[in-house]
Amino acid sequence: MILIVGGGPAGLAAAIACGKKGILLERNPEAGKKLLISGSGQCNLSNARSHEEFLAALGDFRAWLKPAFYNYDNQALMALLAENGCGVWIREDGKVFPQSRKANDVLSTLLTVLHKRGGTLRTGFMVQSIVKAAGGFLVTLADGKRLEAEKVIVAAGGAAWKHTGSDGASYRLAESMGHSIVKPRPALSGVQIEGWDAFHQCAGISLRAGLRIGKQMFKGDLLFTHKGFSGPVILDNSWRMEPKTAIRISFVDCTDFIRSLAENPKKRVISLVWGMALPHSVAEAAFRHLGISSDVTAAELRASERNRLINWLESAEFRIQSLESLDSAMSDYGGVSLMEVNSKTMESRIIPGLYFAGESLAYSLPSGGFSIQMAFSTGYLAGVSAVNSI
């Protein structure tokens, strides 16, 4: 028997792969609680990019996640749902949703597939501990009951959105069995910026920008908020940030702007900045922040002001004040160290017969359907590997 801990996308995928050999244990009264609120209830379940583009989007974790993705890719997940009555809709940007735009349809379809394959779901079963025993494992529940298993797959989620049951249980179970845990921190999180008063009025403005964190550069949509930044380029890389982290934002390339300053000495500098398609309110806030008059002409602009303005437009420095808490962040970066798990099987390198999947593992992926897809892919690979090893 194979026990799977956690009834989210990773656990459901593992149980589907295990079929009759698997028993899925979910602590909540129903499985898939976090899945039901994903994508504001519409469930962005995957992304339809080509293999190469999909893997490229996984960033630092591309190489490690590649075997799981190729074992059960985006096309396989979409086909599984469609073949069982849940058609999918692919948006222009590649994001995949159920045709109904209802997360419940995805969950009910996965549960139907689970039952078709002979799998068993047990809800209200909270795992307290897992101990290696002769011939397998001894799993103790919160009510004191004990279950024996040949193999165990831990897929009890991460430490974000605790109200869904993702309270770090995977991490505690893994640590109790000798695994190293990367301390969780918020991911897919907006950030608050120190000294934000000058830019408060820019809240709601979205633009394309570059983001530099240390030596790494990223590009994407940036959203101004009342307290700092959000938008995909921030959310997708927030796991790299922490309070006091300095980030740099590249708003525009100033090559044309420098030429315009020389060619239009009588024009107001701020109008030339507007000509670069920088939103008016952002330009005005930048001038106030830099202490430059919005009425100054190109001829009147001092060299020191010119340099400050160009440097800000091309590489404005901001310092992180805080990120969202784990309670409100959409995900977290933390969990079982990838070095201690075989990426080709999802099996622990420390304890044979123990497997990990989904957000129990220390990786963080961008928004756009990648996290749910890879939870399913890693879960399915863990299930297949566990079955094949018996």
Side-chain angles (χ1 to χ4, degrees):
M1 178 174 67
I2 302 169
L3 287 181
I4 302 115
V5 184
L12 286 166
I16 288 171
C18 290
K20 296 179 181 179
K21 296 182 181 294
I23 297 179
L24 178 59
L25 306 178
E26 167 56 41
R27 62 186 291 179
N28 290 315
E30 296 180 354
K33 187 172 182 179
K34 193 172 182 179
L35 182 66
L36 289 175
I37 59 176
S38 64
S40 299
Q42 294 187 20
C43 193
N44 177 197
L45 60 98
S46 187
N47 196 291
R49 296 186 190 185
S50 67
H51 280 187
E52 183 177 345
E53 292 175 331
F54 189 104
L55 289 170
L58 305 186
D60 293 8
F61 307 102
R62 169 182 178 168
W64 197 89
L65 290 170
K66 185 177 180 179
F69 179 66
Y70 272 104
N71 178 74
Y72 205 94
D73 65 10
N74 47 3
Q75 297 298 323
L77 177 55
M78 288 188 283
L80 177 74
L81 293 170
E83 290 165 2
N84 288 277
C86 182
V88 299
W89 171 63
I90 302 174
R91 214 166 71 175
E92 290 183 0
D93 58 3
K95 293 181 180 179
V96 180
F97 298 84
Q99 286 182 345
S100 64
R101 316 293 194 277
K102 294 180 180 179
N104 188 61
D105 289 345
V106 175
L107 176 58
S108 62
T109 301
L110 293 177
L111 291 173
T112 296
V113 175
L114 170 62
H115 295 311
K116 280 183 179 179
R117 297 196 179 183
T120 301
L121 170 63
R122 294 284 181 264
T123 57
F125 279 55
M126 183 173 179
V127 174
Q128 194 70 36
S129 67
I130 303 171
V131 178
K132 183 70 174 175
F137 297 86
L138 186 63
V139 177
T140 303
L141 305 179
D143 62 3
K145 292 180 181 178
R146 294 185 175 183
L147 303 173
E148 294 181 354
E150 295 172 83
K151 311 287 179 181
V152 172
I153 300 172
V154 176
W161 280 3
K162 293 181 181 179
H163 62 285
T164 65
S166 294
D167 62 354
S170 286
Y171 306 165
R172 293 191 293 274
L173 291 172
E175 190 171 32
S176 71
M177 300 185 76
H179 272 278
S180 302
I181 301 299
V182 176
K183 184 178 178 180
R185 59 176 186 260
L188 295 180
S189 164
V191 298
Q192 294 188 21
I193 300 294
E194 294 180 0
W196 188 248
D197 290 349
F199 300 95
H200 185 271
Q201 69 177 45
C202 301
I205 291 175
S206 179
L207 49 79
R208 190 80 176 170
L211 166 68
R212 183 176 293 278
I213 307 173
K215 295 182 179 180
Q216 293 181 292
M217 187 71 180
F218 310 93
K219 291 184 179 181
D221 292 333
L222 177 76
L223 174 67
F224 283 79
T225 70
H226 290 290
K227 296 182 179 180
F229 292 123
S230 187
V233 73
I234 294 293
L235 296 174
D236 295 350
N237 295 289
S238 58
W239 67 274
R240 306 174 190 273
M241 308 175 197
E242 55 188 335
K244 301 301 180 183
T245 296
I247 62 174
R248 290 186 175 276
I249 304 295
S250 177
F251 292 101
V252 293
D253 180 334
C254 286
T255 303
D256 292 337
F257 174 62
I258 294 171
R259 184 169 57 251
S260 294
L261 286 173
E263 295 175 349
N264 301 278
K266 295 183 179 181
K267 283 193 173 183
R268 287 197 304 157
V269 176
I270 197 167
S271 69
L272 298 177
V273 173
W274 292 338
M276 294 188 292
L278 194 70
H280 286 208
S281 59
V282 175
E284 290 165 356
F287 272 63
R288 284 196 303 274
H289 174 69
L290 298 170
I292 301 173
S293 171
S294 60
D295 292 325
V296 69
T297 65
E300 296 168 338
L301 188 68
R302 295 194 297 269
S304 59
E305 294 176 325
R306 174 182 179 276
N307 292 336
R308 285 207 311 276
L309 179 58
I310 291 173
N311 287 337
W312 191 90
L313 291 170
E314 292 191 329
S315 185
E317 182 176 293
F318 297 91
R319 195 166 293 275
I320 305 297
Q321 177 176 308
S322 64
L323 290 86
E324 296 179 50
S325 69
L326 286 172
D327 288 335
S328 60
M330 289 185 277
S331 182
D332 74 306
Y333 168 60
V336 180
S337 170
L338 301 185
M339 295 178 63
E340 297 176 358
V341 179
N342 185 339
S343 66
K344 295 180 179 180
T345 61
M346 298 293 121
E347 186 175 20
S348 165
R349 294 186 184 277
I350 296 175
I351 302 177
L354 178 65
Y355 299 79
F356 296 98
E359 291 186 347
S360 66
L361 296 160
Y363 64 73
S364 181
L365 304 181
S367 55
F370 299 99
S371 292
I372 292 179
Q373 173 64 58
M374 291 316 304
F376 204 89
S377 295
T378 54
Y380 202 90
L381 177 56
V384 168
S385 301
V387 169
N388 289 342
S389 68
I390 295 177

